[in-house]
Amino acid sequence: LDASVIDEPVEALAAATRETLALGDLVSGMLSQSMEVFETDDSRLLRQIERIDDDVDGLHEAIKLYLVKVSAAGLSIDDSRRFVEILTFITHLEHIGDIIDKNLMELAAKKIKHRLAFSHEGLAELRQFHERVADNMKLAFNVFTLRDVRLARKLLGEKALLRDAEVHMATEHFARLRVGRPESIETSAIHLDIIRDLKRINSHL
């Protein structure tokens, strides 16, 4: 975030865009590692993710304050539009970081504490759902960078597809509960909450 180009909106917004992608890399890493925590019960990795969220909060605040200074110099219509895009995107990324830190990692801590294990099928479904959200995050970064309408429509379309996947997963999970699979019963609340939180992340994207 180069202070020397504050009075040059095009250059300053380019710098803010680069830092937004750096912020995105941090959040993307958190999302990727969150699934690993659920699979390995690695408490050390869980704490590392919590520390990364502190970095996310710090970078989000730095970009936001930088943008405020840039806007004080006066912006063209196009620059104003990009200003709003960057500000909106970093806000959503910060919220995603919070969901991973405060919600998903809390569920992981509960799973570790009570030594719970997902059923083989349940874990496979969660992996698939998580992978879909992670792919949408990459797509969102491309939309933000390229500002391509076709990619934006594809990202919007993914919302309906994810909703269908959620319904299918819930149906499969409740089927396992009906037949009395003990691991499914023990982890039911955590399983459903992970899906809910991943869906919230996708909504921010």
Side-chain angles (χ1 to χ4, degrees), residues 77-102:
I77 291 173
D78 283 346
D79 290 340
S80 295
R81 189 176 294 120
R82 190 56 172 165
F83 168 86
V84 171
E85 287 171 0
I86 298 170
L87 193 58
T88 302
F89 198 39
I90 64 169
T91 302
H92 284 294
L93 287 173
E94 195 267 339
H95 287 328
I96 290 170
D98 283 345
I99 292 170
I100 296 168
D101 176 28
K102 297 178 174 60

Short mmCIF file of all heavy atoms in Angstrom, two decimals, residues 77-102:
data_model
loop_
_atom_site.label_atom_id
_atom_site.label_comp_id
_atom_site.label_asym_id
_atom_site.label_seq_id
_atom_site.Cartn_x
_atom_site.Cartn_y
_atom_site.Cartn_z
N ILE A 77 -15.70 8.44 -12.00
CA ILE A 77 -16.80 7.48 -11.87
C ILE A 77 -16.27 6.04 -11.89
O ILE A 77 -16.65 5.21 -11.06
CB ILE A 77 -17.83 7.69 -13.01
CG1 ILE A 77 -18.55 9.03 -12.81
CG2 ILE A 77 -18.84 6.54 -13.04
CD1 ILE A 77 -19.46 9.42 -13.95
N ASP A 78 -15.35 5.74 -12.82
CA ASP A 78 -14.78 4.39 -12.90
C ASP A 78 -13.97 4.06 -11.65
O ASP A 78 -14.06 2.93 -11.13
CB ASP A 78 -13.88 4.26 -14.14
CG ASP A 78 -14.70 4.10 -15.42
OD1 ASP A 78 -15.91 3.83 -15.32
OD2 ASP A 78 -14.12 4.27 -16.51
N ASP A 79 -13.19 5.01 -11.19
CA ASP A 79 -12.39 4.79 -9.99
C ASP A 79 -13.28 4.60 -8.77
O ASP A 79 -12.99 3.77 -7.90
CB ASP A 79 -11.42 5.95 -9.75
CG ASP A 79 -10.30 5.99 -10.79
OD1 ASP A 79 -10.06 4.95 -11.43
OD2 ASP A 79 -9.68 7.06 -10.95
N SER A 80 -14.37 5.34 -8.70
CA SER A 80 -15.32 5.20 -7.58
C SER A 80 -15.94 3.81 -7.57
O SER A 80 -16.12 3.21 -6.51
CB SER A 80 -16.44 6.24 -7.69
OG SER A 80 -15.93 7.54 -7.54
N ARG A 81 -16.24 3.31 -8.77
CA ARG A 81 -16.81 1.96 -8.87
C ARG A 81 -15.82 0.92 -8.38
O ARG A 81 -16.17 0.01 -7.63
CB ARG A 81 -17.22 1.69 -10.33
CG ARG A 81 -18.03 0.41 -10.50
CD ARG A 81 -18.49 0.22 -11.94
NE ARG A 81 -19.44 1.25 -12.34
CZ ARG A 81 -19.28 2.10 -13.34
NH1 ARG A 81 -18.17 2.06 -14.05
NH2 ARG A 81 -20.18 2.99 -13.65
N ARG A 82 -14.54 1.06 -8.79
CA ARG A 82 -13.52 0.12 -8.35
C ARG A 82 -13.29 0.25 -6.84
O ARG A 82 -13.09 -0.77 -6.15
CB ARG A 82 -12.21 0.36 -9.11
CG ARG A 82 -11.17 -0.74 -8.88
CD ARG A 82 -11.71 -2.10 -9.22
NE ARG A 82 -10.70 -3.15 -9.20
CZ ARG A 82 -10.98 -4.45 -9.20
NH1 ARG A 82 -12.25 -4.85 -9.22
NH2 ARG A 82 -10.02 -5.35 -9.18
N PHE A 83 -13.32 1.45 -6.34
CA PHE A 83 -13.19 1.71 -4.90
C PHE A 83 -14.24 0.91 -4.12
O PHE A 83 -13.92 0.22 -3.15
CB PHE A 83 -13.34 3.22 -4.65
CG PHE A 83 -13.52 3.61 -3.22
CD1 PHE A 83 -12.42 3.83 -2.39
CD2 PHE A 83 -14.79 3.78 -2.68
CE1 PHE A 83 -12.60 4.20 -1.06
CE2 PHE A 83 -14.97 4.15 -1.36
CZ PHE A 83 -13.87 4.36 -0.54
N VAL A 84 -15.48 0.98 -4.58
CA VAL A 84 -16.58 0.26 -3.90
C VAL A 84 -16.39 -1.25 -4.03
O VAL A 84 -16.62 -1.99 -3.07
CB VAL A 84 -17.94 0.70 -4.48
CG1 VAL A 84 -19.07 -0.19 -3.94
CG2 VAL A 84 -18.22 2.15 -4.15
N GLU A 85 -15.95 -1.72 -5.20
CA GLU A 85 -15.71 -3.15 -5.40
C GLU A 85 -14.67 -3.69 -4.43
O GLU A 85 -14.86 -4.74 -3.80
CB GLU A 85 -15.24 -3.42 -6.84
CG GLU A 85 -16.32 -3.29 -7.89
CD GLU A 85 -15.77 -3.35 -9.31
OE1 GLU A 85 -14.54 -3.49 -9.48
OE2 GLU A 85 -16.58 -3.24 -10.25
N ILE A 86 -13.57 -2.95 -4.30
CA ILE A 86 -12.49 -3.39 -3.40
C ILE A 86 -12.97 -3.38 -1.95
O ILE A 86 -12.77 -4.35 -1.20
CB ILE A 86 -11.23 -2.51 -3.56
CG1 ILE A 86 -10.67 -2.62 -4.97
CG2 ILE A 86 -10.16 -2.90 -2.53
CD1 ILE A 86 -9.58 -1.59 -5.29
N LEU A 87 -13.61 -2.28 -1.56
CA LEU A 87 -14.08 -2.15 -0.17
C LEU A 87 -15.09 -3.25 0.17
O LEU A 87 -15.04 -3.85 1.25
CB LEU A 87 -14.71 -0.77 0.02
CG LEU A 87 -14.98 -0.31 1.45
CD1 LEU A 87 -13.71 -0.32 2.28
CD2 LEU A 87 -15.62 1.06 1.46
N THR A 88 -15.99 -3.53 -0.77
CA THR A 88 -17.00 -4.58 -0.55
C THR A 88 -16.34 -5.96 -0.44
O THR A 88 -16.66 -6.75 0.46
CB THR A 88 -18.01 -4.59 -1.71
OG1 THR A 88 -18.62 -3.31 -1.81
CG2 THR A 88 -19.10 -5.63 -1.48
N PHE A 89 -15.39 -6.22 -1.33
CA PHE A 89 -14.76 -7.54 -1.35
C PHE A 89 -13.94 -7.79 -0.09
O PHE A 89 -13.99 -8.89 0.49
CB PHE A 89 -13.89 -7.67 -2.61
CG PHE A 89 -13.54 -9.09 -2.97
CD1 PHE A 89 -14.46 -10.12 -2.84
CD2 PHE A 89 -12.28 -9.40 -3.45
CE1 PHE A 89 -14.15 -11.43 -3.19
CE2 PHE A 89 -11.95 -10.71 -3.80
CZ PHE A 89 -12.88 -11.71 -3.66
N ILE A 90 -13.15 -6.79 0.35
CA ILE A 90 -12.34 -7.01 1.56
C ILE A 90 -13.23 -7.20 2.79
O ILE A 90 -12.88 -7.95 3.71
CB ILE A 90 -11.31 -5.88 1.82
CG1 ILE A 90 -11.98 -4.53 2.09
CG2 ILE A 90 -10.31 -5.79 0.67
CD1 ILE A 90 -11.03 -3.45 2.60
N THR A 91 -14.40 -6.54 2.80
CA THR A 91 -15.34 -6.72 3.92
C THR A 91 -15.86 -8.14 3.96
O THR A 91 -15.91 -8.78 5.01
CB THR A 91 -16.51 -5.72 3.80
OG1 THR A 91 -15.99 -4.38 3.79
CG2 THR A 91 -17.48 -5.87 4.96
N HIS A 92 -16.23 -8.68 2.78
CA HIS A 92 -16.71 -10.06 2.72
C HIS A 92 -15.60 -11.05 3.08
O HIS A 92 -15.85 -12.05 3.78
CB HIS A 92 -17.25 -10.37 1.33
CG HIS A 92 -18.61 -9.79 1.08
ND1 HIS A 92 -19.73 -10.20 1.77
CD2 HIS A 92 -19.04 -8.81 0.23
CE1 HIS A 92 -20.78 -9.51 1.35
NE2 HIS A 92 -20.39 -8.67 0.42
N LEU A 93 -14.37 -10.78 2.63
CA LEU A 93 -13.26 -11.66 2.98
C LEU A 93 -13.00 -11.68 4.48
O LEU A 93 -12.73 -12.73 5.07
CB LEU A 93 -11.99 -11.23 2.23
CG LEU A 93 -11.95 -11.52 0.73
CD1 LEU A 93 -10.73 -10.88 0.09
CD2 LEU A 93 -11.95 -13.03 0.46
N GLU A 94 -13.12 -10.52 5.10
CA GLU A 94 -12.92 -10.44 6.56
C GLU A 94 -14.00 -11.23 7.28
O GLU A 94 -13.72 -11.93 8.27
CB GLU A 94 -12.92 -8.97 6.99
CG GLU A 94 -12.37 -8.72 8.38
CD GLU A 94 -13.44 -8.70 9.45
OE1 GLU A 94 -14.62 -8.47 9.09
OE2 GLU A 94 -13.11 -8.90 10.63
N HIS A 95 -15.24 -11.15 6.80
CA HIS A 95 -16.33 -11.92 7.39
C HIS A 95 -16.09 -13.42 7.24
O HIS A 95 -16.36 -14.20 8.16
CB HIS A 95 -17.67 -11.55 6.74
CG HIS A 95 -18.18 -10.19 7.13
ND1 HIS A 95 -17.95 -9.63 8.36
CD2 HIS A 95 -18.94 -9.28 6.45
CE1 HIS A 95 -18.53 -8.44 8.42
NE2 HIS A 95 -19.13 -8.21 7.27
N ILE A 96 -15.58 -13.83 6.07
CA ILE A 96 -15.28 -15.25 5.85
C ILE A 96 -14.21 -15.72 6.84
O ILE A 96 -14.33 -16.81 7.42
CB ILE A 96 -14.83 -15.48 4.39
CG1 ILE A 96 -16.00 -15.29 3.43
CG2 ILE A 96 -14.23 -16.89 4.22
CD1 ILE A 96 -15.61 -15.26 1.96
N GLY A 97 -13.19 -14.89 7.03
CA GLY A 97 -12.15 -15.23 8.01
C GLY A 97 -12.74 -15.45 9.39
O GLY A 97 -12.37 -16.39 10.11
N ASP A 98 -13.69 -14.60 9.77
CA ASP A 98 -14.34 -14.71 11.08
C ASP A 98 -15.16 -16.01 11.18
O ASP A 98 -15.17 -16.66 12.23
CB ASP A 98 -15.26 -13.51 11.34
CG ASP A 98 -14.47 -12.28 11.74
OD1 ASP A 98 -13.28 -12.41 12.10
OD2 ASP A 98 -15.03 -11.17 11.70
N ILE A 99 -15.86 -16.36 10.11
CA ILE A 99 -16.65 -17.61 10.12
C ILE A 99 -15.73 -18.82 10.32
O ILE A 99 -16.03 -19.73 11.10
CB ILE A 99 -17.47 -17.75 8.82
CG1 ILE A 99 -18.57 -16.68 8.75
CG2 ILE A 99 -18.11 -19.14 8.73
CD1 ILE A 99 -19.26 -16.59 7.40
N ILE A 100 -14.60 -18.81 9.61
CA ILE A 100 -13.66 -19.92 9.74
C ILE A 100 -13.09 -19.97 11.16
O ILE A 100 -13.05 -21.03 11.79
CB ILE A 100 -12.52 -19.80 8.71
CG1 ILE A 100 -13.08 -19.91 7.29
CG2 ILE A 100 -11.46 -20.88 8.94
CD1 ILE A 100 -12.09 -19.51 6.20
N ASP A 101 -12.68 -18.81 11.66
CA ASP A 101 -12.05 -18.74 12.98
C ASP A 101 -13.03 -19.02 14.12
O ASP A 101 -12.81 -19.89 14.96
CB ASP A 101 -11.42 -17.34 13.14
CG ASP A 101 -10.83 -17.12 14.52
OD1 ASP A 101 -10.41 -18.10 15.17
OD2 ASP A 101 -10.78 -15.95 14.97
N LYS A 102 -14.14 -18.29 14.12
CA LYS A 102 -15.05 -18.34 15.27
C LYS A 102 -16.10 -19.44 15.21
O LYS A 102 -16.66 -19.82 16.23
CB LYS A 102 -15.73 -16.98 15.45
CG LYS A 102 -14.75 -15.85 15.77
CD LYS A 102 -15.44 -14.51 15.90
CE LYS A 102 -14.49 -13.43 16.37
NZ LYS A 102 -13.36 -13.21 15.44
#
